Amino acid sequence: MAQGTVRYWAAAKAAAGVAEEPYEAETLAEALHAARERHPGELVRVLQRCSFLVDGDPVGTRGHETVRLAEGGTVEVLPPFAGG
């Protein structure tokens, strides 16, 4: 299992109640499942609208189960941002 950091931004940070926390997972899907287990409620809803960066690269439309996580990596959780 790879270990790294999940960083929450804006509404995701508010819903999780933390700015960041460790992950222990092989894929993005596993890391997000663990986050939902740790933070049931609002974070589960927020994650449905988020986009993700893994080690600085956008995940885009790739299946989360296909996105491998690296040892010491970082997952950025980015909710939609208002503005314009």
Side-chain angles (χ1 to χ4, degrees):
M1 281 278 163
Q3 296 181 355
T5 303
V6 177
R7 290 190 185 138
Y8 299 104
W9 296 96
K13 179 179 172 182
V18 296
E20 62 181 49
E21 62 188 356
Y23 70 72
E24 187 171 322
E26 293 296 324
T27 67
L28 177 58
E30 291 174 9
L32 294 177
H33 176 76
R36 288 181 190 100
E37 293 280 311
R38 281 190 303 275
H39 308 285
E42 184 62 22
L43 183 62
V44 174
R45 289 183 288 281
V46 170
L47 288 176
Q48 294 173 350
R49 300 183 312 269
C50 288
S51 58
F52 305 94
L53 299 177
V54 174
D55 298 329
D57 295 324
V59 171
T61 59
R62 291 182 286 163
H64 296 167
E65 67 283 348
T66 68
V67 179
R68 307 290 296 173
L69 300 180
E71 183 68 29
T74 303
V75 174
E76 308 276 351
V77 180
L78 307 169
F81 292 95

